[in-house]
Amino acid sequence: MYNFDFVKPSSIADAVAALAGEDAQPLSGGQTLIPSMKARLNAPGTLVSLTGIPELVGVCREGDMLVIGAATTHAQVARDAAADFPGLAALAGQIGDPAVRNRGTIGGSLANNDPSACYPAAALGTGATIVTDRREIGADDYFQGMFTTALEEGEIITAVRFPIPQASAYAKFVQPASRFALTAAFVARFESGVRVAITGASENGVFRWAEAEAALSSDFSADAIAGLACSPDEMIADLHGTAAYRAHLVGVMTRRAVAAAG
Amino acid sequence: MGKVTMTVNGRARSAEVEGRTLLSSFLRDGLELTGTHVGCDTSQCGACVVLVNGQAVKSCTAFAADLDGAEVTTVEGMANPDGSLGRIQQAFQDYHGLQCGYCTPGMVMSTAALLAENPKPTEEEVRHYLEGNICRCTGYQNIVRAVMAASGQDVGALAAE
């Protein structure tokens, strides 16, 4: 890969200042960014590491919310969120493999917004709030398409605030080579209704399956959506699966998630 | 260029690195610890796994500069103080958990991480934990047997495949 200047600030303010420089990019766990730099798909002039900022790390219950620092690894979320939000902990424990989970972070995943990543499904599926160095963004406004988010140039995620659902589960059909989701569903039941977010399927990235949400909000059972089909329009089609196959998986994985959430 | 210092296998070690110097390059080229293997260089295969502050990490997918001050254990640190094979290494030899040996350093280090957090894993837990370590020779059966043996469990109870 091309060389770059490396800086590791110890505060959010210093990180934001460093990111204002020309060709500067943030580095979190690097599990996507480093491979993309090796492939020369990405060549920052300066990398600003976010892993030396203590306030960006941790899992903390605040009332009916679970607040997770942006630089918290998947392994730590899998461990520390298990008691308060088991659906989210289980999702984190299915990302990549153990070594990837020890480096990769929730903030990195959400900033990258890979169309097959796991965390976007949990954030959109709960209506989480993405907290940045300058504002708060609701998940419904944050995800804007494949690898596209509401983040501005130089803006960094500092935390994610998840409303804790009454019940939730993530059902993932693994693409075994990449260990990303071929298609996966996150289902969350709240007193106010049910949210369903699908990742891995759409060319527009993570999305909410409105028809399933409506059906599940009146009857939270796999049977309630047994006859429901998701349109294959704008679904991803590649060597791993056709658009029609992914559309079929949307239904299957949603039903599995509902059954697992109970 | 900048100087990075880590505690590697219990000793403070330093080397000059560029921003782009990977942990695997720091270990292999900077410190001449070539036991850590680089298989795919795309973070798929796990041959380069080492322990960073006790946790399994793919050393080809971390920058040395980002790990200044870290405590690192490589396969060279797994032997007994007298130089004989350590418990996990010996189990891999006893149960033929390797053929060409390319993946073995990563397998040994992932096993060390697994047994540190789960001293008596089930066969299923072993297979799940080693998902990120690819072996193209053994079919994994003997690797799983070696890990079970290293954890002091009855290998004879494993189903033959």
Side-chain angles (χ1 to χ4, degrees):
Chain A
M1 75 184 84
Y2 295 110
N3 201 19
F4 53 85
D5 293 326
F6 180 86
V7 294
K8 191 167 183 174
S10 55
S11 74
I12 294 171
D14 287 350
V16 171
L19 284 167
E22 202 173 336
D23 288 337
Q25 274 190 38
L27 168 72
S28 195
Q31 300 303 286
T32 295
L33 181 56
I34 295 174
S36 79
M37 288 170 65
K38 289 179 181 179
R40 296 187 172 176
L41 297 170
N42 213 319
T46 301
L47 266 193
V48 181
S49 172
L50 303 178
T51 58
I53 305 172
E55 63 199 280
L56 291 186
V57 179
V59 177
C60 180
R61 172 103 188 216
E62 290 180 9
D64 54 2
M65 297 280 182
L66 196 66
V67 183
I68 300 180
T72 309
T73 63
H74 310 324
Q76 187 176 349
V77 173
R79 195 171 55 241
D80 293 353
D84 290 309
F85 190 168
L88 182 68
L91 174 147
Q94 292 175 54
I95 298 172
D97 58 50
V100 167
R101 292 196 287 276
N102 283 335
R103 293 291 296 166
T105 68
I106 186 170
S109 172
L110 292 174
N112 191 47
N113 193 20
D114 188 295
S116 299
C118 298
Y119 270 128
L124 190 62
T126 55
T129 301
I130 315 298
V131 184
T132 78
D133 60 284
R134 61 200 70 171
R135 59 185 169 142
E136 300 190 350
I137 310 168
D140 286 311
D141 300 320
Y142 176 81
F143 298 103
Q144 300 190 346
M146 193 179 276
F147 296 112
T148 308
T149 70
L151 290 177
E152 296 166 354
E153 202 68 32
E155 182 173 18
I156 56 172
I157 301 173
T158 57
V160 187
R161 214 160 54 226
F162 289 94
I164 300 173
Q166 295 167 327
S168 67
Y170 181 60
K172 176 181 178 181
F173 195 97
V174 178
Q175 200 281 74
S178 71
R179 292 181 281 275
F180 275 84
L182 187 64
T183 289
F186 191 90
V187 172
R189 179 164 58 85
F190 294 92
E191 198 173 350
S192 55
V194 173
R195 289 176 71 109
V196 177
I198 307 293
T199 187
S202 170
E203 289 182 341
N204 301 314
V206 67
F207 69 96
R208 287 173 67 183
W209 189 14
E211 294 85 352
E213 290 184 352
L216 291 167
S217 291
S218 52
D219 174 13
F220 192 71
S221 73
D223 287 344
I225 52 170
L228 216 53
C230 188
S231 165
D233 293 349
E234 300 189 359
M235 290 280 166
I236 298 169
D238 58 21
L239 77 169
H240 305 298
T242 61
Y245 183 56
R246 281 187 165 84
H248 176 69
L249 279 181
V250 169
V252 173
M253 301 321 288
T254 304
R255 289 194 294 276
R256 285 187 190 175
V258 171
Chain B
M1 296 288 280
K3 191 175 166 186
V4 163
T5 301
M6 298 181 206
T7 303
V8 180
N9 301 328
R11 287 175 55 200
R13 303 289 300 269
S14 299
E16 290 287 325
V17 301
E18 295 183 308
R20 63 181 168 183
T21 303
L22 299 166
L23 176 59
S24 51
S25 307
F26 174 80
L27 294 169
R28 290 178 53 85
D29 305 331
L31 307 184
E32 299 184 339
L33 291 170
T34 52
T36 297
H37 289 174
V38 178
C40 65
D41 205 24
T42 57
S43 66
Q44 304 284 315
C45 80
C48 69
V49 167
V50 300
L51 303 187
V52 175
N53 299 325
Q55 297 186 316
V57 164
K58 292 182 179 177
S59 63
C60 83
T61 309
F63 292 119
D66 210 11
L67 298 171
D68 193 24
E71 197 164 300
V72 175
T73 307
T74 70
V75 72
E76 288 91 343
M78 297 303 289
N80 293 322
D82 66 1
S84 62
L85 294 181
R87 183 170 52 102
I88 295 169
Q89 294 171 307
Q90 188 63 53
F92 270 72
Q93 185 184 66
D94 291 345
Y95 288 88
H96 303 285
L98 63 152
Q99 287 182 29
C100 85
Y102 203 90
C103 72
T104 310
M107 289 287 181
V108 168
M109 300 318 294
S110 283
T111 301
L114 167 63
L115 298 186
E117 68 182 59
N118 184 0
K120 300 283 181 200
T122 63
E123 178 185 352
E124 190 185 348
E125 286 169 339
V126 172
R127 290 184 184 276
H128 181 63
Y129 199 88
L130 294 179
E131 270 176 2
N133 292 80
I134 294 174
C135 170
R136 300 286 78 158
C137 302
T138 64
Y140 302 98
Q141 184 70 0
N142 284 353
I143 291 172
V144 175
R145 287 159 60 89
V147 177
M148 297 300 277
S151 65
Q153 301 190 85
D154 181 11
V155 173
L158 292 184
E161 282 184 4

